[in-house]
């Protein structure tokens, strides 16, 4: 029964005229039950707090390991093939994150081996082709003058150029290029490279100049001083020459080279870069020539690779109403 002094009563008749009753107090039992309730509540709070802390620690560790795995995967996709996640979790135990880390590391190691094998194969093939092509070039020079001789020499020259491009791509892929960086005045350097490239182009802004450059020479006028940049002349010439050749081959005249500060732009008035190229970047061994499919070949690939070596940045875009624009940003001296 309830009340300030709870008790339990029991009664039964005895001898017909009498009733035997018994009263048992529940005060002590109620206090014990209240104490048990308080203990259960306290223990429950402690258990929930410990579970929350433990869950937060485990979730934090898993989140940290997953972020590490994601960052490593991004580094691998960016070309850092020797990046690895390494061991994760408690030593001697295996969980899902550890399995994921091991799988990503195994995949990266396999991918690195495959790419290195392909790079060695490309370099070996290009190197082995050098000797017979040199002999073929010498033999072609001994042929009598005529149209067939011109065709043979033209194809031999194309093969030699392709072989040298393959070797250069192999060196770029292997990160074996060491630039010789020096300070150079950008305007005169661009004029000289444009003139040697054999591509007829209008040079604007070089030493305050605005003139036409090509195989026949350069005309310039103006007084503004061009900026100084820190670059490797040979590699920068490779970049600019490839961009000019690409503009002549796939674009439309006139081709304009503009120098502004430490930036050089090459613009043509052709149909522009293919959308796939702008979206995915240059693809090797593909060209926009109809007989060889759509793409850009090795020229833009080498230009972007050499730009990375000298610390420059190359961007490609299309300008309205027509024409492609290639921008090279060089580090200042």
């Amino acid at each position: 029964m309830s009340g300030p002094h709870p008790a339990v009563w029991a009664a039964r008749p005895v001898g017909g005229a009498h009733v035997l009753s018994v009263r048992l107090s529940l005060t002590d039992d109620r206090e014990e039950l209240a104490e048990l309730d308080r203990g259960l509540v306290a223990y429950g709070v402690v258990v929930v707090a410990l579970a929350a802390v433990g869950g937060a620690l485990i979730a934090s560790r898993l989140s940290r390991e997953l972020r590490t795995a994601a960052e490593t995967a991004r580094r691998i996709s960016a070309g850092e093939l020797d990046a690895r996640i390494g061991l994760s979790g408690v030593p001697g135990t295996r969980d899902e994150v550890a399995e994921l880390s091991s799988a990503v590391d195994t995949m990266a190691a396999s991918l690195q081996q495959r790419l290195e094998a392909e790079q060695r194969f490309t370099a070996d093939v290009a190197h082995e082709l050098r000797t017979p092509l040199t002999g073929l070039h010498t033999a072609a020079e001994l042929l009598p003058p005529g149209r067939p001789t011109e065709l043979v020499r033209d194809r031999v020259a194309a093969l030699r150029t392709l072989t040298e491009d393959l070797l250069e791509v192999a060196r770029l892929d292997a990160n074996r290029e060491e630039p010789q960086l020096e300070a150079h005045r950008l305007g005169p350097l661009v004029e000289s490279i444009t003139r040697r490239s054999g591509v007829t182009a209008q040079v604007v802004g070089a030493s305050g100049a605005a003139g036409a450059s090509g195989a026949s020479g350069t005309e310039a006028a103006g007084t503004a001083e061009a900026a100084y940049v820190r670059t490797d002349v040979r590699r920068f010439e490779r970049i600019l020459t490839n961009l000019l050749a690409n503009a002549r081959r796939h674009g439309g005249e006139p081709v304009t080279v503009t120098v502004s500060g430490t930036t050089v732009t090459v613009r043509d008035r052709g149909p522009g870069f293919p959308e796939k190229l702008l979206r995915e970047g240059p693809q090797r061994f593909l060209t926009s020539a109809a007989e060889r499919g759509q793409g850009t070949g090795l020229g833009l690939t080498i230009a972007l690779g050499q730009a990375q070596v000298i610390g420059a940045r190359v961007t490609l875009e299309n300008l309205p109403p027509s024409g492609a624009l290639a921008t090279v940003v060089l580090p200042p001296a």
Side-chain angles (χ1 to χ4, degrees):
M1 53 185 300
S2 60
H5 303 288
V8 176
W9 290 86
R12 62 171 296 178
V14 177
H18 299 280
V19 175
L20 176 64
S21 62
V22 178
R23 179 180 179 276
L24 178 62
S25 175
L26 297 180
T27 302
D28 294 339
D29 294 336
R30 187 175 67 171
E31 292 178 355
E32 291 179 0
L33 291 174
E35 184 67 24
L36 178 61
D37 290 341
R38 288 191 294 271
L40 290 176
V41 171
Y43 290 138
V45 171
V46 171
V47 170
V48 171
L50 291 176
V53 172
L57 292 176
I58 294 175
S60 176
R61 179 180 66 84
L62 292 177
S63 177
R64 183 173 60 254
E65 293 175 355
L66 289 174
R67 285 196 301 269
T68 300
E71 177 61 27
T72 304
R74 282 191 289 267
R75 290 166 56 194
I76 293 172
S77 65
E80 191 177 342
L81 298 180
D82 57 351
R84 299 292 184 271
I85 299 174
L87 298 176
S88 62
V90 181
T93 63
R94 301 289 290 178
D95 55 24
E96 290 80 0
V97 177
E99 293 289 344
L100 173 63
S101 301
S102 177
V104 172
D105 286 348
T106 301
M107 177 198 67
S110 176
L111 179 62
Q112 183 179 23
Q113 292 174 0
R114 289 175 180 268
L115 290 179
E116 288 178 350
E118 292 180 1
Q119 292 168 6
R120 287 193 299 269
F121 174 77
T122 302
D124 292 343
V125 168
H127 183 75
E128 292 299 325
L129 284 175
R130 265 182 162 180
T131 301
L133 281 176
T134 301
L136 188 60
H137 175 74
T138 303
E141 293 298 324
L142 299 177
L143 293 175
R147 181 58 179 169
T149 299
E150 293 177 1
L151 293 175
V152 170
R153 290 175 180 174
D154 179 69
R155 292 300 88 194
V156 170
L159 283 174
R160 292 187 67 182
T161 301
L162 177 60
T163 300
E164 295 301 325
D165 287 348
L166 287 173
L167 283 172
E168 188 168 0
V169 168
R171 290 193 298 268
L172 290 171
D173 287 343
N175 295 321
R176 297 175 183 173
E177 297 289 334
E178 294 293 337
Q180 303 295 323
L181 300 177
E182 296 177 348
H184 296 275
R185 195 169 169 216
L186 184 58
L189 182 60
V190 170
E191 287 182 323
S192 176
I193 293 172
T194 304
R195 183 169 56 251
R196 290 195 299 270
S197 71
V199 178
T200 301
Q202 181 184 18
V203 180
V204 178
S207 299
S213 299
S216 60
T218 302
E219 298 179 359
T223 59
E225 290 293 327
Y228 279 83
V229 296
R230 184 172 178 81
T231 188
D232 185 318
V233 173
R234 183 183 69 83
R235 300 181 191 281
F236 176 61
E237 181 169 358
R238 192 80 163 106
I239 295 169
L240 187 55
T241 300
N242 282 5
L243 294 177
L244 287 168
N246 186 78
R248 178 183 61 183
R249 185 177 302 114
H250 304 296
E253 294 184 348
V255 177
T256 305
V257 180
T258 303
V259 182
S260 176
T262 61
T263 301
V264 181
T265 61
V266 178
R267 181 181 180 181
D268 61 64
R269 268 65 176 184
F273 293 113
E275 291 300 326
K276 184 177 181 181
L277 182 150
L278 298 177
R279 185 174 60 253
E280 302 177 3
Q283 299 183 25
R284 300 173 185 178
F285 307 111
L286 295 176
T287 173
S288 59
E291 66 274 11
R292 293 184 58 188
Q294 298 297 318
T296 57
L298 295 177
L300 290 181
T301 300
I302 293 174
L304 268 65
Q306 292 290 9
Q308 186 176 4
V309 172
I310 64 175
R313 185 176 73 255
V314 177
T315 57
L316 308 175
E317 60 181 310
N318 292 330
L319 295 180
S322 65
L325 178 69
T327 304
V328 184
V329 181
L330 297 164

